[in-house]
Structure formats: C-alpha cells, structure tokens
C-alpha cells in the first residue's frame, strides 16, 4: 500500500510555493505604493491602492504595447522554431545511424559550455552586414535552434520511440520524413511542450542581446523596462509596477499550459 505524504512533505511544499511566489508578491507590493512610500524602507505587508496609477505611468513612460508585441512575436517564433528544428535533429541523433553522429553530438553538447558573450561582437557584425541590425529579426534568427534543445529531444526520443515502430513504418512504405511526422512527432509532444515553454520563458526574459541589437524605439519588453530606471533617482514603485505587468503574460501562459507541462514531466520521468 502506498503511504500518504506526511506533514513534513506538505510543509516543504508550502514553503517552496511561498518562496517562489514571494518575489512576484514583493514586486506587486512595491508597485502598489507611491514613490515616496516605496523609498522609505520596508513597505507594509498589504498592497497599497496605487498599482493602477503606477501601471498607467508605465504605459505613458515607454512604448509598452510595442515592446510587448515585439516580445510576444520574438518568443513565439523562436520557441516554435526551436521545437521544430530540435525535434528533427534530436530524432536524427536518436534513431538514425550515420557516420560521425557520436562526435557531432559531442560537439553540439560542447557548444553549451561556450559563453554567449563571446559571440556577441561577431554576431552583431553579421546582423549589420545582413541589414537586420535594429530589427526584431536580429533577435530571432540567432536562436532558431539551440544545442540544449537538440540534446533534450535526443535524450527523450531515444526511449520514447521504439525502433520496431520505425521499422514497421518503413516496411509500410513511409518515407523518412513521413515516419518522423507520424511516429516521432506524436511521441515527442510531451517533451516538445516542455521545450516550448522553457524556450518561450528564456527568450521572454532575455535582456543582454536585445539590449545590444535593438534600438530604444523598437525594444523588447525587458529592454523597455530598463528605460524606467534611468537617471540618478530610481522610482521603485514605477519599475516594479512595470515588472509585474511584464510578468503577467508568463503567468497566463503557465496557467493555460500547466496541465501539459505536468503531463510532459511525468511521462519523461516514468519509464517502462
């Protein structure tokens, strides 16, 4: 008989949830205060009544909706591209036999150890020569496929797709691409959902490369929020109100896709 979790387990889970939600609540708490109250020290534990006023100030201070649209476009396109190309590459490394697959996979994994900052200068020069500097495509194109995504999908598809199923599809006359679409893609949906969510979140919160590649009048949401803290005096209520607004789309996404995320994690954890 399976044992029910005890009070210690529930206590640890509650502490973990509270610790995870604390930064978001703290941002909302300061974002609901006036700038004088936010700069006085530790605010009260209950929100104030100025969040909507601060949110309106954020909308008036920067091109918020344009930045939000840019982030949505960049994150969605990048996440879909990463899932598609990484699933293709992961399937090839997991189920196809070709010369040099082992060393090539090692090379792909080794690229994850290279800091992103090392490639910023040549990448910016390349984007300038292609005429994409200042365009949102300069943020999308470099991350259409990731080494982590290839490795993640390869590890999942090794056990998720039986070799016998692929051989049966080939005996039925399926081409390689049709075998991929009808056999590998349905099996890879849980892992693809996790990869899509993680990639979307990573691109949404990316700040370093968009700050370099995009001008101030065409930013993503993270670069736009940086404009709120310019000058000698930082209005923390304004900055954290903007941060809370920028976090809302991620919360909505995780609420809508939470069941798929849990399903993917469970299917990836249970073998046999």
């Amino acid at each position: 008989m399976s044992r029910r979790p005890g009070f210690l387990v529930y206590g640890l889970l509650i502490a973990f949830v509270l610790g995870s939600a604390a930064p978001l609540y703290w941002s909302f708490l300061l974002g609901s205060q006036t700038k004088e109250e936010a700069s006085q020290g530790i605010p009260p534990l209950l929100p104030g009544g100025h969040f909507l006023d601060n949110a309106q100030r954020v909308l008036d201070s920067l091109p918020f909706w344009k930045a939000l649209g840019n982030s949505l476009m960049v994150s969605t396109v990048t996440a879909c591209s990463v899932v598609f190309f990484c699933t293709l590459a992961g399937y090839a490394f997991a189920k196809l036999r070709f010369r040099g697959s082992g060393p090539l996979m090692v090379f792909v994994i080794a690229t994850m150890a290279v800091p992103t900052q090392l490639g910023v200068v040549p990448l910016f020069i390349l984007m300038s020569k292609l005429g994409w500097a200042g365009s949102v495509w300069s943020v999308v194109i470099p991350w259409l496929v990731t080494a982590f995504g290839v490795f993640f999908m390869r590890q999942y598809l090794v056990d998720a797709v039986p070799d016998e199923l692929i051989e049966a599809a080939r005996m039925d006359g399926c081409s390689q691409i049709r075998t991929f679409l009808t056999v590998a893609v349905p099996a890879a949906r849980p892992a693809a959902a996790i990869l899509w969510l993680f990639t979307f979140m990573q691109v949404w919160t990316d700040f370093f490369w968009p700050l370099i590649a995009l001008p101030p009048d065409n930013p993503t949401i993270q670069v736009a929020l940086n404009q709120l803290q310019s000058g000698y005096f930082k209005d923390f209520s304004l900055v954290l109100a903007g941060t809370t607004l920028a976090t809302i789309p991620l919360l909505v996404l995780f609420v809508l896709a939470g069941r798929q995320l849990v399903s993917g994690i469970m299917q990836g954890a249970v073998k046999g």
Side-chain angles (χ1 to χ4, degrees):
M1 296 179 62
S2 60
R3 297 178 57 188
R4 296 183 60 183
F7 290 104
L8 178 60
V9 175
Y10 283 115
L12 291 175
L13 290 175
I14 292 174
F16 179 78
V17 170
L18 293 178
S20 300
L24 180 60
Y25 180 74
W26 187 259
S27 298
F28 176 73
L29 188 65
L30 286 178
S32 63
Q33 309 291 328
T34 63
K35 60 181 179 180
E36 292 80 10
E37 293 172 345
S39 60
Q40 287 178 355
I42 300 178
L45 296 180
L46 296 179
H50 303 280
F51 181 80
L52 295 180
D53 296 334
N54 292 332
Q56 186 61 47
R57 290 170 56 207
V58 171
L59 299 181
D60 296 336
S61 302
L62 49 85
F64 182 85
W65 296 114
K66 184 177 182 179
L68 185 68
N70 287 342
S71 289
L72 284 174
M73 190 276 288
V74 170
S75 301
T76 302
V77 173
T78 303
C80 293
S81 173
V82 165
V83 168
F84 177 72
F85 288 114
C86 290
T87 305
L88 273 174
Y91 173 75
F93 280 117
K95 295 301 176 181
L96 302 184
R97 301 293 178 263
F98 57 93
R99 182 176 300 177
S101 61
L104 186 58
M105 189 68 221
V106 172
F107 176 77
V108 170
I109 297 174
T111 60
M112 291 191 291
V114 180
T116 306
Q117 291 79 2
L118 292 180
V120 165
V121 174
L123 186 59
F124 184 80
I125 294 174
L126 177 62
M127 293 296 107
S128 298
K129 290 184 176 180
L130 292 175
W132 292 339
S135 170
V136 292
W137 293 109
S138 63
V139 183
V140 174
I141 299 299
W143 317 121
L144 291 180
V145 62
T146 62
F148 171 78
V150 173
F151 175 72
F152 179 76
M153 295 306 298
R154 187 262 177 194
Q155 294 299 106
Y156 184 85
L157 290 173
V158 164
D159 296 324
V161 181
D163 294 334
E164 295 80 6
L165 195 58
I166 297 177
E167 294 174 0
R170 298 305 301 273
M171 291 180 63
D172 288 340
C174 293
S175 62
Q176 195 66 257
I177 187 64
R178 186 176 180 184
T179 302
F180 168 76
L181 294 175
T182 58
V183 176
V185 170
R189 283 179 182 174
I194 296 176
L195 182 61
W196 194 94
L197 286 171
F198 286 174
T199 303
F200 187 95
M201 182 178 64
Q202 181 182 11
V203 176
W204 182 273
T205 57
D206 188 22
F207 174 76
F208 181 68
W209 174 242
L211 178 65
I212 297 174
L214 298 178
D217 59 343
N218 190 33
T220 58
I221 190 64
Q222 306 302 330
V223 178
L225 292 178
N226 185 56
Q227 301 175 15
L228 295 176
Q229 55 181 356
S230 60
Y232 294 100
F233 175 76
K234 293 181 175 59
D235 188 348
F236 292 105
S237 62
L238 184 66
V239 173
L240 291 174
T243 303
T244 304
L245 292 177
T247 310
I248 291 176
L250 289 181
L251 295 177
V252 173
L253 177 64
F254 274 89
V255 169
L256 296 178
R259 180 175 299 179
Q260 185 68 27
L261 178 63
V262 174
S263 174
I265 294 175
M266 294 303 297
Q267 291 191 34
V270 178
K271 304 281 185 179

